[in-house]
Amino acid sequence: MSYGLTFLLMTLFIVAILHTYANLSGLTIRALRATPVFPGQLSDFYLMVERSKRRDHFALYFAWPDGSEILVNLVDEDSIRFQLHVPVDKRGWFNPGRLLVESTYPLGLLRCWTWIDLDISALVYPALIASPDLPGLATDSPDGAAVPVPGNDDFYGFRDYRVGDSLRQVHWKGLAKGQGVQTKQYTAYADRSVWLDWEQFPGAGVEQRLSHLCYWVLAFEEQSEEYGLRLPGLVIQPASGEKHRDRVLKELALFGFEGAAS
């Protein structure tokens, strides 16, 4: 019986070795995308695991150092998408390092693992530093400035008649009172077009300026106001919307790094 027990345990050990190895064999791990975040937050890294054969894979363990972990079973599908959370620290591109892929299936007695280096990085924006007011606010026109535009409905005022003015805009009542020939002006109100400028924060360091600018980008975007960005060697014309916001934040995140693209 002792021989039988020994051979049984040896057989289980050998079978466990083969199954543990086979549980990781034939897998393909793909990096999909990572969410941009601010320092101190968790970035979501989206991954996909695929099997190359019609073999089931159980209790696949995925983890990044200092990040979250997950167990995945690949049974009914040929591929599964999942996500891991990793804390980030400073602005720029954050690389989470090598990913641990591990299996202890089927008995939990043996461990098969590998470290893989995926081509994926998360964009980290500058830390937000709030300021009560934007110093030296630069605008193309004052907020709500009235600009004379002939033909609009909002009355602006009078000016002296000029040759070519429409007779419908002549102030006939004033002429009848002996006030001379005047023309009515109508207006359109200009939207504010804000410039966020590197020079608006004199005396501040590089990271402080980027943090202040980043704060005001989110503030103006929340108010649906148009804003542009002026950095040393870069000008982004005023606009609004998610694409514009993401482009501006990306430039702030990568400012000063070699190979940063506009």
Side-chain angles (χ1 to χ4, degrees):
M1 291 182 65
S2 60
Y3 279 112
L5 179 61
T6 300
F7 291 142
L8 176 62
L9 293 177
M10 287 296 298
T11 301
L12 288 175
F13 183 75
I14 294 174
V15 171
I17 292 176
L18 297 176
H19 279 276
T20 302
Y21 171 79
N23 201 44
L24 288 189
S25 177
L27 294 175
T28 301
I29 314 298
R30 301 183 188 276
L32 301 179
R33 64 184 179 88
T35 57
V37 290
F38 295 92
Q41 294 182 338
L42 295 175
S43 178
D44 295 332
F45 289 83
Y46 293 85
L47 308 176
M48 181 171 65
V49 57
E50 300 175 289
R51 60 182 180 183
S52 58
K53 299 179 180 179
R54 299 298 301 179
R55 181 193 302 137
D56 294 336
H57 300 267
F58 301 93
L60 300 172
Y61 175 84
F62 298 90
W64 260 303
D66 302 323
S68 63
E69 56 191 40
I70 191 173
L71 283 176
V72 174
N73 293 310
L74 198 56
V75 180
D76 297 326
E77 303 93 350
D78 291 332
S79 65
I80 290 181
R81 299 188 180 194
F82 60 96
Q83 66 188 70
L84 294 171
H85 315 291
V86 183
V88 300
D89 48 7
K90 56 184 179 179
R91 74 175 179 93
W93 289 114
F94 171 81
N95 188 294
R98 294 191 300 168
L99 177 70
L100 173 63
V101 184
E102 180 181 295
S103 171
T104 58
Y105 175 83
L107 300 178
L109 300 175
L110 302 172
R111 173 175 174 259
C112 182
W113 79 95
T114 184
W115 293 90
I116 57 176
D117 194 2
L118 297 173
D119 184 17
I120 187 171
S121 296
L123 184 62
V124 184
Y125 301 137
L128 296 176
I129 298 181
S131 52
D133 197 6
L134 186 61
L137 181 65
T139 62
D140 291 335
S141 58
D143 193 10
V147 180
V149 179
N152 282 11
D153 294 333
D154 296 325
F155 177 72
Y156 180 68
F158 300 101
R159 63 169 172 81
D160 293 337
Y161 176 80
R162 298 172 186 171
V163 177
D165 286 347
S166 173
L167 295 179
R168 289 181 298 178
Q169 293 180 337
V170 172
H171 184 38
W172 296 108
K173 292 183 179 180
L175 179 61
K177 295 178 181 179
Q179 297 177 356
V181 184
Q182 292 181 309
T183 299
K184 297 178 183 178
Q185 286 186 293
Y186 295 87
T187 62
Y189 287 88
D191 293 331
R192 184 165 68 168
S193 184
V194 180
W195 281 100
L196 297 174
D197 200 310
W198 178 264
E199 302 299 333
Q200 289 172 304
F201 304 94
V206 172
E207 296 303 323
Q208 285 182 313
R209 294 188 190 213
L210 294 173
S211 295
H212 283 305
L213 291 170
C214 191
Y215 168 81
W216 283 105
V217 167
L218 298 184
F220 288 127
E221 187 65 37
E222 184 178 357
Q223 299 170 13
S224 300
E225 294 193 32
E226 290 191 353
Y227 56 92
L229 178 66
R230 291 193 184 111
L231 295 177
L234 173 71
V235 175
I236 298 179
Q237 294 299 321
S240 61
E242 291 186 4
K243 290 185 178 180
H244 179 68
R245 177 203 62 195
D246 292 344
R247 182 189 176 193
V248 171
L249 290 177
K250 181 178 180 180
E251 293 296 344
L252 294 175
L254 301 181
F255 178 79
F257 294 124
E258 185 177 355
S262 300

